[in-house]
Amino acid sequence: MIKNYLRSALRNIKRHPFISFINIFGLTVGLSCCLLILAYIINERSYDKFNSKANDIYRVTRIFYTAPGVENLHLSAVAPPFGPLLQNAFPDIQKITRVLPNGTTALKYKDKLFNEKGAAFADENFFTFFDVPVVKGDRKNGLLDPYSIMLSEAMAKKYFGDEDPINKGIRLDNIGHDFKVTGIYKSFPANSHMHPEILMSFNTLKDTAIYGEKQLQTNFGNNSFYTFLLFPKDYNVEHVKAQLPDFLDKYVHLNGMPGNLKTHQVTSLTFQKLTDIHLRSHLDDEYEENGDISRVYIFSAIALFILLIACINYMNLSTARSALRAKEIGIRKVIGAQRKEIIFQFLSESVLITYMALVLAAGITAACIPLVNNMASQHLSIQSLLQWYVFAPILLLPFIIGIISGIYPAIFMSSFLPVRVLKGIVKAGQGGLSFRKVLVVLQFSISIILIVATTVVFQQLQYIQTKALGFNKDHIVTMDYVNRLTPQFEGFKDDLKKNAFIKDVGRSSRIPSGRLLDDQNAQLINGGASQAIKIDLKYITTDYGFIPTYGMQLASGRNFAKEFSTDTNNFIINEEAVRQFGWTNQNALGRDLQYGDVKGKIIGVVKDFHFESLHQKIIPLLFALPPAKSSYYGKISIKIDGRDPRAAIQAIQDTWRKYLPESPFDYSFLDDKFGQLYNSEQQQGSLFTIFSCIAIFIACLGLFGLSAFTITQRIKEIGVRKVLGASVPQIVRELSKDFMILVIISALIGLPLAAWAMNKWFLAGFAFRINVSIWVLLMAGVSALIIAFITISFQSIKAALMNPVKSLRSE
């Protein structure tokens, strides 16, 4: 029997190639999108699960409060003493490991000198937590001795070539010391939340010249250490979490904390599961940029939408062509076929078509994955879909889709009465017709939502790129600051500015495009008495040239100046700080303020500017010069003339090599850094565009097939209308109006939903954003109408141009 059903299904596919092609092609495209998105979801959810103990590893994070219960900063790294203290206080913690990123690290071996971004200090039991294969050396003791270093295979090849690097020395320029290579490990897999390529012994930090053992035990202010805890298998971590407030009150007392507050009211610790970091952690200082669980949900919804549109095509076209199969159904019923057998026949046909589509989709997916990886900077693999727990559901998917797509047509067509259909009386009831209309409306509602989503994403990206930032980010070259430059910086700066292509030079602890994380206790001083303030006031250490280099505007007061020796104790604040203090720009000048240990006056107010990305609000900010004879700088910013950037870069490089011949020259442009802030949105916009076009294409494919079939059923009507004098435009309008009304209804449903969804799920992530304007919604609706009309009019015009004699003779 099943063999007979399959033979019948294949025969019907061959008998109606046009409708079959639309069904198979639509389902193929829909399934291809689903498989690609499934590969993306599997990849995103696999992060850090390569570690055998991933479910028992937790990262310690730290929260700061401006007032009890009012959070202002949540860091993914903590101070160095917390790891050992937690292990001592809670014996159930089996092990700890700490990782301290070293920023840009200059490495030198013989004549090879490079700046490396992926260097970090790590505890000796680092490889107990992270299952990365060590190909040479001892994974247990490789990081035990001070001044030992382990390299990834790529780094070992870069510096040592075909030499055996074990026990050879490699020099760290910013530390000024040789490190002994004790091991080589494979690079961290792509689905890790961190990718250190160079690991240095954490015990090196005990050297007073580098950090100091006492600092490691007592410094609760330097929250730069990523700290991981290993608990027993399936341990109830909530038991330890509940005791953290008492732990903080017992072990930690912060300087400058009001006497009536306990430590846990000023700062708190939390634990974060290792496998949750990539998708569910967006803290202020993540090791690397993470993914987003909401993006996984959005693309899952898009996959379902596209598949739903393809299924709707199948339902519509199958029910629409019911008249062609009416006599077949009538004859089957006359010779004894029961309704359930007819239903089974149509379902088997639907499942067969879906399996054919799956085979084609698998080939398309394999071909498209490399393209998606290049376009969206992903690491998707077809292998992820071949795991048994993924592959088995994929094999079942066509069966489920086939049942969903075919159940309504099967029930509808099996309900035909043989007496009526054999007499040629076949008419889809009003209910069937209405259901098809509902499906068309659903298709185009989804398509319109995706059109709006794509438009809004690109509008927001355009807004980001064109919005005035409050300073000029163009033609600014940034470099990491090297502390050895401090004694001769003025000579370095003067030599640079002798070149006509160099306009200004400035130093700072951070540069725009980064995050504002640094703060200290701030107090107002009135009549000699200190008054604590409740606002969260971040700071940047700058020099005299920073504000001119960036072209920032002063709202009142002046910039730091060498002529005023007291400026090392004075401050400049931004307008947002003035507002939150409750002052005006003018009366802020001369106010006494203590920030950290420095007492001074406010000498200037800089106009608000966007230091961080437009995801963040402008926050209160303070500029300060570093204490005399010390350097708190991290970056150099150089404003160049835009006429000849190559000549300017060459001048900077020549000057750099004159003063720092042993340090590699490395630079970047500030506008590139700002562009990188929105990489995920750019990728999201590109993917939205692709998937929107696919969804609209599939919807139009179905509409094309449905209109073609519907017009075929009205051939005689068209012939009669032409004989009676109807023009081609009149016939086209008559044939198109029913479908166009459905698209208009789709717009009325889809546009409000799209506006709500984009405000809630996309634009809500930006402190500075566009509004979803009426014209965007109208444009989306009109676009859908135009696309639908073009799709329908091809068949309508073809039918309207037919010779009415042939139309009236057709059977």
Side-chain angles (χ1 to χ4, degrees):
M1 184 186 296
I2 294 176
K3 184 178 179 181
N4 179 52
Y5 290 154
L6 291 176
R7 187 185 298 117
S8 177
L10 288 170
R11 194 176 296 138
N12 273 293
I13 290 171
K14 291 179 182 178
R15 190 179 300 152
H16 306 292
F18 176 68
I19 298 293
S20 298
F21 169 77
I22 290 178
N23 279 332
I24 292 172
F25 187 71
L27 285 169
T28 298
V29 174
L31 284 168
S32 299
C33 291
C34 285
L35 292 178
L36 283 169
I37 292 174
L38 180 60
Y40 165 76
I41 292 169
I42 291 170
N43 180 67
E44 288 293 287
R45 294 183 66 86
S46 71
Y47 269 69
D48 293 306
K49 291 182 180 177
F50 64 90
N51 298 295
S52 59
K53 300 172 184 175
N55 290 328
D56 303 310
I57 297 173
Y58 288 78
R59 184 174 70 176
V60 186
T61 71
R62 189 175 185 183
I63 302 172
F64 290 88
Y65 305 98
T66 52
V70 181
E71 180 181 322
N72 75 72
L73 188 63
H74 192 170
L75 301 176
S76 57
V78 298
F82 279 121
L85 284 175
L86 284 166
Q87 189 173 23
N88 290 334
F90 303 104
D92 287 344
I93 297 174
Q94 294 181 340
K95 290 181 180 179
I96 68 152
T97 195
R98 291 167 292 179
V99 180
L100 175 66
N102 197 50
T104 301
T105 303
L107 284 182
K108 183 179 182 182
Y109 178 70
K110 294 182 178 177
D111 60 340
K112 295 180 179 179
L113 179 65
F114 298 101
N115 277 329
E116 304 295 353
K117 304 289 185 184
F121 291 94
D123 275 320
E124 61 265 25
N125 57 5
F126 177 86
F127 289 104
T128 304
F129 283 70
F130 303 100
D131 296 343
V132 178
V134 174
V135 295
K136 281 188 178 181
D138 186 350
R139 68 180 296 117
K140 291 184 178 179
N141 299 312
L143 293 173
L144 180 61
D145 296 331
Y147 296 104
S148 59
I149 189 170
M150 297 180 73
L151 306 174
S152 70
E153 287 180 310
M155 283 294 131
K157 184 73 174 175
K158 181 176 181 178
Y159 285 93
F160 296 95
D162 295 329
E163 292 182 57
D164 183 359
I166 299 299
N167 294 325
K168 287 189 168 62
I170 188 167
R171 190 169 188 80
L172 265 72
D173 181 63
N174 56 340
I175 290 179
H177 200 288
D178 285 339
F179 280 65
K180 184 173 75 172
V181 179
T182 55
I184 307 297
Y185 59 90
K186 288 188 177 294
S187 293
F188 276 66
N191 61 343
S192 171
H193 82 278
M194 61 177 177
H195 297 86
E197 295 290 321
I198 300 159
L199 293 170
M200 300 168 285
S201 169
F202 197 89
N203 289 324
T204 308
L205 296 174
K206 294 178 180 178
D207 189 329
T208 308
I210 298 175
Y211 196 85
E213 187 168 9
K214 185 176 180 181
Q215 283 282 87
L216 290 173
Q217 296 171 352
T218 61
N219 186 348
F220 288 97
N222 180 7
N223 295 284
S224 304
F225 295 73
Y226 295 90
T227 303
F228 300 89
L229 312 176
L230 177 61
F231 286 92
K233 188 173 178 59
D234 300 325
Y235 184 79
N236 183 9
V237 179
E238 298 301 320
H239 172 70
V240 176
K241 281 185 181 179
Q243 301 177 63
L244 289 177
D246 292 336
F247 163 82
L248 288 169
D249 294 342
K250 179 178 180 180
Y251 290 101
V252 182
H253 185 75
L254 303 176
N255 293 330
M257 189 174 70
N260 60 336
L261 289 180
K262 294 184 176 181
T263 303
H264 77 268
Q265 295 174 299
V266 177
T267 186
S268 65
L269 299 179
T270 63
F271 295 157
Q272 194 172 53
K273 198 171 184 178
L274 179 66
T275 52
D276 286 342
I277 291 174
H278 178 67
L279 287 179
R280 302 178 188 276
S281 180
H282 305 93
L283 306 184
D284 294 301
D285 60 339
E286 295 290 351
Y287 201 107
E288 295 177 9
E289 182 182 359
N290 287 331
D292 193 337
I293 190 65
S294 65
R295 205 175 305 156
V296 171
Y297 294 149
I298 288 169
F299 284 112
S300 299
I302 289 174
L304 291 176
F305 284 161
I306 291 174
L307 197 56
L308 180 60
I309 290 173
C311 291
I312 287 172
N313 280 354
Y314 187 91
M315 292 182 194
N316 272 340
L317 294 174
S318 296
T319 52
R321 67 172 180 165
S322 58
L324 298 178
R325 303 189 66 177
K327 287 188 178 180
E328 173 196 341
I329 296 165
I331 291 171
R332 284 183 179 274
K333 283 195 169 186
V334 166
I335 62 176
Q338 297 180 15
R339 186 177 184 185
K340 65 180 180 181
E341 292 172 331
I342 294 172
I343 290 174
F344 191 82
Q345 176 195 336
F346 286 115
L347 289 179
S348 63
E349 184 177 320
S350 174
V351 170
L352 177 64
I353 286 175
T354 313
Y355 270 107
M356 293 171 67
L358 178 64
V359 173
L360 295 171
I364 293 172
T365 302
C368 288
I369 277 180
L371 299 176
V372 172
N373 286 339
N374 289 333
M375 183 190 73
S377 302
Q378 294 291 324
H379 299 88
L380 310 186
S381 169
I382 194 69
Q383 299 299 322
S384 64
L385 300 176
L386 299 178
Q387 303 169 86
W388 70 267
Y389 56 86
V390 177
F391 189 64
I394 288 175
L395 285 181
L396 288 174
L397 186 62
F399 181 78
I400 297 168
I401 293 171
I403 297 297
I404 293 171
S405 303
I407 191 66
Y408 175 72
I411 293 172
F412 173 71
M413 287 188 281
S414 67
S415 67
F416 291 167
L417 296 174
V419 175
R420 294 175 63 84
V421 296
L422 291 175
K423 287 181 178 180
I425 306 171
V426 181
K427 199 170 186 180
Q430 193 63 33
L433 188 62
S434 297
F435 187 67
R436 282 212 303 277
K437 289 180 178 179
V438 169
L439 294 178
V440 171
V441 167
L442 182 57
Q443 274 187 319
F444 273 88
S445 294
I446 293 170
S447 301
I448 287 167
I449 289 171
L450 291 176
I451 291 173
V452 172
T454 302
T455 306
V456 169
V457 168
F458 278 103
Q459 273 197 325
Q460 178 65 20
L461 290 173
Q462 181 68 21
Y463 173 77
I464 287 167
Q465 292 162 2
T466 57
K467 187 179 188 311
L469 298 177
F471 64 92
N472 189 349
K473 72 179 190 304
D474 297 327
H475 307 125
I476 291 183
V477 177
T478 66
M479 300 181 295
D480 290 313
Y481 187 70
V482 178
N483 287 333
R484 291 199 312 275
L485 187 59
T486 301
Q488 48 190 348
F489 180 76
E490 291 305 320
F492 172 81
K493 181 177 178 179
D494 290 342
D495 280 359
L496 280 176
K497 296 186 76 171
K498 287 176 184 176
N499 189 289
F501 295 112
I502 308 299
K503 301 173 99 174
D504 261 310
V505 182
R507 294 172 291 176
S508 58
S509 54
R510 298 180 184 269
I511 57 171
S513 75
R515 292 301 308 275
L516 292 167
L517 301 177
D518 306 320
D519 66 356
Q520 297 185 34
N521 292 326
Q523 297 181 357
L524 292 176
I525 301 174
N526 290 318
S530 297
Q531 175 188 347
I533 60 175
K534 294 182 179 179
I535 72 170
D536 181 26
L537 186 61
K538 306 295 185 186
Y539 79 95
I540 306 170
T541 300
T542 69
D543 68 359
Y544 305 99
F546 178 80
I547 288 178
T549 298
Y550 281 89
M552 295 171 182
Q553 300 296 312
L554 288 167
S556 64
R558 61 175 177 84
N559 184 26
F560 298 117
K562 292 179 183 178
E563 303 86 66
F564 298 92
S565 60
T566 57
D567 272 2
T568 52
N569 289 333
N570 289 334
F571 311 108
I572 296 172
I573 60 176
N574 68 348
E575 290 180 305
E576 181 61 25
V578 170
R579 277 191 290 273
Q580 294 204 25
F581 277 124
W583 303 333
T584 64
N585 291 340
Q586 199 59 41
N587 68 27
L589 300 178
R591 298 266 187 168
D592 292 317
L593 179 71
Q594 178 171 338
Y595 197 76
D597 297 328
V598 178
K599 291 183 179 180
K601 293 183 180 295
I602 296 171
I603 60 169
V605 176
V606 68
K607 290 184 177 180
D608 281 339
F609 64 95
H610 292 276
F611 190 97
E612 301 173 300
S613 80
L614 297 187
H615 289 284
Q616 280 79 39
K617 297 178 180 178
I618 295 176
I619 60 176
L621 180 62
L622 175 143
F623 294 129
L625 295 172
K629 298 182 180 179
S630 65
S631 176
Y632 283 75
Y633 302 122
K635 295 285 185 179
I636 304 176
S637 302
I638 303 173
K639 180 74 172 180
I640 65 173
D641 191 304
R643 291 173 299 170
D644 193 345
R646 287 189 179 182
I649 295 298
Q650 187 60 53
I652 297 170
Q653 184 174 6
D654 293 343
T655 309
W656 180 274
R657 287 177 175 169
K658 174 183 174 182
Y659 286 86
L660 297 166
E662 294 298 311
S663 295
F665 175 72
D666 196 12
Y667 70 93
S668 60
F669 283 96
L670 186 70
D671 51 1
D672 290 338
K673 288 181 176 290
F674 269 95
Q676 291 167 9
L677 293 176
Y678 310 108
N679 274 344
S680 63
E681 283 80 13
Q682 294 279 7
Q683 293 167 7
Q684 195 167 324
S686 299
L687 292 173
F688 260 129
T689 303
I690 292 170
F691 288 128
S692 296
C693 291
I694 289 171
I696 294 163
F697 173 73
I698 297 174
C700 289
L701 197 65
L703 191 61
F704 181 81
L706 191 58
S707 61
F709 190 84
T710 303
I711 290 168
T712 302
Q713 304 302 303
R714 300 176 67 179
I715 288 295
K716 285 191 176 182
E717 176 194 335
I718 295 168
V720 171
R721 287 181 181 274
K722 289 199 75 173
V723 168
L724 293 176
S727 65
V728 171
Q730 286 174 328
I731 292 172
V732 170
R733 184 169 62 251
E734 179 65 28
L735 293 174
S736 304
K737 69 177 183 181
D738 288 344
F739 291 108
M740 300 308 290
I741 289 170
L742 296 181
V743 177
I744 291 170
I745 294 171
S746 300
L748 294 175
I749 295 171
L751 294 177
L753 285 174
W756 172 82
M758 292 311 292
N759 277 313
K760 183 173 179 62
W761 297 109
F762 179 72
L763 294 176
F766 291 88
F768 297 87
R769 56 182 182 265
I770 63 168
N771 294 314
V772 182
S773 59
I774 293 295
W775 80 263
V776 169
L777 301 178
L778 290 174
M779 182 276 300
V782 170
S783 298
L785 280 169
I786 293 172
I787 292 168
F789 182 75
I790 292 171
T791 303
I792 298 163
S793 62
F794 177 82
Q795 294 290 341
S796 302
I797 294 169
K798 181 181 175 183
L801 292 174
M802 282 183 65
N803 188 331
V805 176
K806 290 184 179 180
S807 300
L808 293 171
R809 283 178 179 174
S810 68
E811 292 293 334

